[in-house]
Amino acid sequence: MLNLVLFGPPGAGKGTQSENLINKYGLVHLSTGDIFRANIKGETELGKLAKSFIDKGDLVPDEVTIKMLESEVNKHEDPKGFIFDGFPRTSAQAKALDAFLTSKNTQVNLMLALEVEDEELKKRLLERGKVSGRSDDQDETIIENRIKEYNAKTAPLKEFYTAQNKFVSVNGIGSIEEIAGRLYAAVDAEQ
Ligand code: ADP
């Protein structure tokens, strides 16, 4: 199996590049943000809970997020691999993912980190907010809180995957095709 963690701050282009990676490598795309939004739309219990955090730009609690992710992985029989987009976002999530994949005799192969500076992120998110309808993309305070959450809780995961020799930094500035090319080169070097 090929399991990739796509990593980067809000607005780094994880969703866009996931599309390219699933097409090229035939992987299953699991975006925790998309799954939460589908639950909010469907007005499920999970959606109601997630909404109260997402609306403030806070992370959803680990326990709920991990349980949801594991049940999504279990829905797929004999997959070629997964792209984890927006997960793990805390060290508890990263440790849980390692343990869970080990129990399935597999592992994370690479963590691909899209690097984009904060000012560019804010600009991209506000632009996306104009078309996506995502309320968390339309308010500068919420955007700033998401970037803050990322820097405090998620950025430290670089060290976690570096220690496992799985961390690859990818420049997230350029055209969609250029960035996709950089990601393919990183994945192909690993295989
Ligand atoms: P972005 O990367 O642009 O912030 P996402 O769609 O990945 O967008 O996530 C939107 C929101 O969903 C996050 O701000 C957070 O509240 C919640 N969320 C997504 N993934 C996780 C996760 N792994 N752990 C906790 N909260 C999450």
Side-chain angles (χ1 to χ4, degrees), residues 135-153:
S135 55
D136 62 343
D137 283 345
Q138 293 174 23
D139 179 313
E140 219 168 324
T141 320
I142 298 174
I143 291 176
E144 275 162 11
N145 191 40
R146 283 157 64 201
I147 297 175
K148 204 175 103 212
E149 284 275 81
Y150 173 82
N151 287 327
K153 297 180 183 158

Side-chain angles (χ1 to χ4, degrees), residues 24-142:
K24 181 147 169 94
Y25 299 103
L27 306 174
V28 175
H29 181 208
L30 288 186
S31 157
T32 41
D34 285 353
I35 302 166
F36 284 135
R37 281 186 289 278
N39 276 278
I40 292 171
K41 210 167 157 213
E43 297 180 350
T44 67
E45 282 306 312
L46 174 65
K48 280 179 215 157
L49 177 94
K51 189 174 182 336
S52 63
F53 294 92
I54 293 176
D55 280 353
K56 288 183 270 177
D58 290 340
L59 292 183
V60 178
D62 283 333
E63 210 186 289
V64 194
T65 307
I66 291 165
K67 213 169 112 206
M68 176 185 87
L69 191 275
E70 292 183 353
S71 96
E72 288 296 323
V73 168
N74 285 335
K75 283 183 187 166
H76 299 275
E77 226 173 276
D78 205 19
K80 276 195 186 167
F82 292 94
I83 295 196
F84 299 104
D85 164 4
F87 186 95
R89 257 172 151 107
T90 64
S91 55
Q93 292 179 14
K95 286 178 194 152
L97 181 63
D98 268 8
F100 179 62
L101 293 179
T102 303
S103 77
K104 296 187 161 296
N105 291 318
T106 185
Q107 57 166 341
V108 168
N109 298 92
L110 270 188
M111 188 227 226
L112 299 161
L114 286 171
E115 311 274 5
V116 178
E117 65 271 15
D118 288 3
E119 277 316 302
E120 170 71 16
L121 295 174
K122 258 192 249 170
K123 212 173 77 191
R124 287 187 189 179
L125 289 169
L126 287 167
E127 276 306 309
R128 183 169 77 184
K130 287 183 199 160
V131 287
S132 73
R134 274 180 61 171
S135 55
D136 62 343
D137 283 345
Q138 293 174 23
D139 179 313
E140 219 168 324
T141 320
I142 298 174

